[in-house]
Amino acid sequence: MREKSQKFIRVNKHSFFAFILAGVTIWLPLKNSWAQEFNVPTNPLKGRFVLEQKGCITCHAVKGDGGDIGPDLGQNKFYGSFLQLAGIMLNHAPEMLSRMRQLDLSYPEFTKTEMMELIAYLYYMRYLGEPGDLYRGKILVKEKNCLACHSIADKGGNLAPAFDKLGKYVSPLYMAQALWNHGPEMEKQIQQMGLKRPKFEKNEIVDLSAYIRKASQSPKIEQVYMSPGNPRKGKTIFKQKGCLDCHTMQGEGNDLGPDLTELDWNISVTEIAGLMWNHGSEMSAIMEEQQLEWPSFTGKEMADLIAYLYFLKFTDQPGDNEKGRNVFTEKGCVNCHGEDALGGEFAPDLSTSKSVVSPIDMAQIMWNHAPVMEERIAEKVMEWPEFSGSEMRDIYAFISSLTSVKKAAKDQR
Ligand code: HEC
Ligand code: HEC
Ligand code: HEC
Ligand code: HEC
């Protein structure tokens, strides 16, 4: 059985969206031009452990579980790329420091691995999206005309398997896969019946699958199996299934379809599945014209592919070092590190830094030195720097340009 060989995770219907992600391998898709390649840890659940260990849960809950001084971190929020998340964390260091003093807690320092794991975990929060809504699902099976062919509790059509028997399609991803695979077939039938091909928005696939799961007479309804994807494998699948015939990725492929790295990916896995489904019609038209074969997926392949797409936004795009130089000045880094970061009374010359070789290093060092910064900033009555948008990546670009300029000069000597 295919299912057996995969790492499935048992989830009961109440904790459907509790963090069920053990065994997930995460990998970071990279832009070739972005030299700072780094690997994301193999399991974002480790980040959950870091969150507990570092005392974040004293103030933050994750899906209701933990403190309530700061916002719940499990609210399906998309915080941004790696460095954007690092910036968000750093922005709240003073607030956090002052609360920590009140609570008599000590400031948590991070190793690089811990920093990476924690941020990967925060990035992952949006992955599963909202839990399904049974009531909406019930409306959707009618609205989307599923019941023209399928039936549920003896109501509906008999052109397709009854939903009651689909216990195994309980996970939204399997649903997405089933829909995808029978897409072209279904489209033909739908046209013959004079109906419209359904489109899916937002959480609709999750709602549908929640309802079908509920209605399923399968004895195993209490258990939902969800196979989280492996982005690294997903990258291979993206190639294997011919997505590159129409999409460009990291310089490869064609541009009949949009560049998928340009899309707003502030969406969950099933929303991505919905987008894929929605373009199936257009895609199959082009494919027929070009005599390409419709790619089918196993459930695991679909999960991996979508995990790959989901993680496309984790890696930062290259920053702009000139902008970074300005940000460095504006945010008061110059007050300690000196003009052009060449060193000052209080802080080292960053152009000779050997520690900042990747965005992770920078995130880690900046986080760890927040208490020192706080002290100096208080003495000098300056404002705490807040980062947003591309500022962290621009600073990173600036600092790495310094070291490479130095290095180039040295090489020439
Ligand atoms: C002493 C309490 C406290 C601790 C400990 C703490 N935080 Fe916070 N955090 C807050 C407060 C208060 C806010 C909201 C105000 C703000 O953003 O300054 C916040 C905001 C955040 C936000 C932005 C949330 C949002 O939805 O806008 C993130 C992300 C975050 N914290 C991550 C962390 C991480 C990771 C840790 C552990 C390293 C941590 N926090 C530890 C109090 C804390
Ligand atoms: C025009 C008829 C038609 C419509 C409308 C239709 N389906 Fe299907 N569906 C089929 C057929 C036929 C199959 C069986 C395909 C096969 O076995 O390859 C199927 C298979 C499936 C399966 C997999 C079942 C299995 O055992 O493999 C799922 C899940 C599914 N449909 C969900 C839906 C949902 C959800 C909707 C509404 C959004 C929908 N279908 C609308 C005809 C339809
Ligand atoms: C035959 C050409 C073709 C192939 C092959 C193809 N696509 Fe597309 N894709 C398109 C076109 C054209 C669009 C934009 C039109 C649309 O959104 O309906 C698109 C849009 C998308 C979108 C949604 C973009 C959005 O803004 O909504 C996603 C996601 C996507 N493709 C993923 C894939 C994946 C994954 C594969 C491989 C399984 C794939 N595509 C294979 C042509 C193709
Ligand atoms: C209050 C003074 C102060 C300010 C302001 C300050 N830093 Fe630092 N920085 C230090 C000190 C002291 C060190 C070395 C000790 C340490 O790592 O904690 C350091 C180290 C660093 C390092 C690591 C250098 C190495 O080779 O280890 C980086 C990167 C860095 N800072 C970036 C920044 C950036 C970016 C800003 C602006 C947002 C900034 N710093 C603002 C004092 C400061």
Side-chain angles (χ1 to χ4, degrees):
M1 247 170 73
R2 198 180 67 226
E3 280 82 352
K4 277 269 163 69
S5 64
Q6 297 167 11
K7 272 192 181 154
F8 273 85
I9 290 158
R10 184 168 164 266
V11 191
N12 69 43
K13 56 182 179 179
H14 303 293
S15 64
F16 187 51
F17 288 90
F19 284 79
I20 54 176
L21 311 161
V24 184
T25 308
I26 285 205
W27 161 88
L28 212 49
L30 295 155
K31 286 254 161 187
N32 294 341
S33 55
W34 198 217
Q36 285 67 37
E37 306 207 355
F38 49 82
N39 287 312
V40 183
T42 49
N43 182 349
L45 261 196
K46 284 192 185 158
R48 169 74 210 213
F49 181 68
V50 178
L51 199 82
E52 284 171 21
Q53 217 186 15
K54 300 292 171 186
C56 314
I57 54 162
T58 316
C59 298
H60 293 284
V62 177
K63 309 243 175 227
D65 193 5
D68 60 0
I69 296 176
D72 190 319
L73 298 177
Q75 294 179 334
N76 293 311
K77 207 160 154 181
F78 181 77
Y79 292 104
S81 66
F82 178 85
L83 280 177
Q84 281 169 333
L85 263 160
I88 291 173
M89 278 176 59
L90 201 62
N91 291 348
H92 93 306
E95 169 87 19
M96 187 179 148
L97 276 161
S98 84
R99 301 263 187 164
M100 291 190 100
R101 279 189 285 265
Q102 285 164 15
L103 298 167
D104 208 16
L105 301 167
S106 55
Y107 184 78
E109 296 211 338
F110 284 78
T111 64
K112 273 182 232 171
T113 313
E114 287 167 344
M115 185 53 90
M116 177 46 112
E117 287 172 353
L118 180 73
I119 293 184
Y121 179 65
L122 293 175
Y123 184 90
Y124 211 65
M125 295 290 171
R126 190 78 183 83
Y127 194 79
L128 293 173
E130 310 283 335
D133 177 334
L134 292 176
Y135 180 70
R136 295 217 45 204
K138 189 172 180 178
I139 297 173
L140 287 170
V141 285
K142 287 194 199 124
E143 250 178 45
K144 304 284 176 189
N145 293 321
C146 312
L147 296 185
C149 302
H150 293 272
S151 64
I152 200 155
D154 295 327
K155 288 204 190 87
N158 57 4
L159 293 170
F163 281 147
D164 315 66
K165 299 200 177 68
L166 295 183
K168 63 183 170 145
Y169 287 109
V170 285
S171 103
L173 272 175
Y174 273 77
M175 177 86 160
Q177 170 234 358
L179 278 166
W180 176 270
N181 288 347
H182 83 293
E185 200 52 44
M186 178 175 156
E187 187 159 358
K188 279 187 198 126
Q189 281 192 31
I190 288 179
Q191 272 167 2
Q192 281 164 16
M193 296 166 89
L195 298 170
K196 255 186 29 210
R197 184 182 191 276
K199 291 216 169 197
F200 298 104
E201 281 172 24
K202 302 218 166 85
N203 223 32
E204 290 179 342
I205 293 183
V206 183
D207 297 339
L208 271 171
S209 76
Y211 174 62
I212 292 175
R213 185 165 67 247
K214 180 78 199 304
S216 169
Q217 285 158 8
S218 149
K220 283 197 188 150
I221 44 170
E222 287 302 312
Q223 287 176 14
V224 176
Y225 292 99
M226 183 96 172
S227 159
N230 175 335
R232 188 201 297 248
K233 289 201 182 126
K235 188 186 183 189
T236 314
I237 290 162
F238 192 83
K239 269 192 186 163
Q240 276 171 359
K241 302 292 175 182
C243 311
L244 287 172
D245 288 338
C246 299
H247 294 281
T248 312
M249 197 59 85
Q250 292 163 353
E252 270 184 84
N254 294 315
D255 56 5
L256 289 170
D259 178 351
L260 297 179
T261 60
E262 299 291 312
L263 295 173
D264 173 16
W265 288 118
N266 177 14
I267 49 181
S268 70
V269 171
T270 32
E271 287 171 87
I272 297 175
L275 284 182
M276 269 183 69
W277 164 264
N278 292 348
H279 95 296
S281 188
E282 188 146 339
M283 179 175 152
S284 83
I286 305 179
M287 293 191 86
E288 251 171 51
E289 206 180 282
Q290 308 218 344
Q291 297 182 329
L292 298 166
E293 205 184 313
W294 184 256
S296 284
F297 290 91
T298 65
K300 187 77 176 79
E301 285 172 339
M302 181 60 97
D304 291 344
L305 177 76
I306 290 177
Y308 167 64
L309 295 176
Y310 181 82
F311 269 90
L312 284 174
K313 280 282 192 256
F314 188 70
T315 320
D316 284 277
Q317 297 292 319
D320 175 327
N321 58 13
E322 276 311 315
K323 281 191 192 149
R325 183 190 302 273
N326 294 337
V327 179
F328 195 82
T329 308
E330 282 159 20
K331 305 285 171 185
C333 313
V334 286
N335 292 325
C336 294
H337 287 284
E339 281 304 311
D340 289 334
L342 295 173
E345 193 186 335
F346 307 112
D349 176 354
L350 296 183
S351 71
T352 52
S353 169
K354 290 194 180 61
S355 2
V356 189
V357 293
S358 80
I360 309 172
D361 302 321
M362 190 176 85
Q364 178 226 6
I365 291 169
M366 285 179 69
W367 172 268
N368 288 349
H369 89 333
V372 192
M373 266 175 73
E374 196 209 25
E375 247 171 61
R376 304 290 318 174
I377 283 174
E379 280 166 23
K380 293 196 159 195
V381 206
M382 284 154 37
E383 290 220 351
W384 184 262
E386 297 239 337
F387 295 94
S388 60
S390 66
E391 289 174 341
M392 283 288 272
R393 53 182 87 134
D394 292 341
I395 285 208
Y396 178 71
F398 169 59
I399 295 177
S400 36
S401 78
L402 292 175
T403 42
S404 58
V405 169
K406 261 263 163 55
K407 204 167 150 279
K410 208 166 150 200
D411 289 347
Q412 274 187 357
R413 260 181 256 141

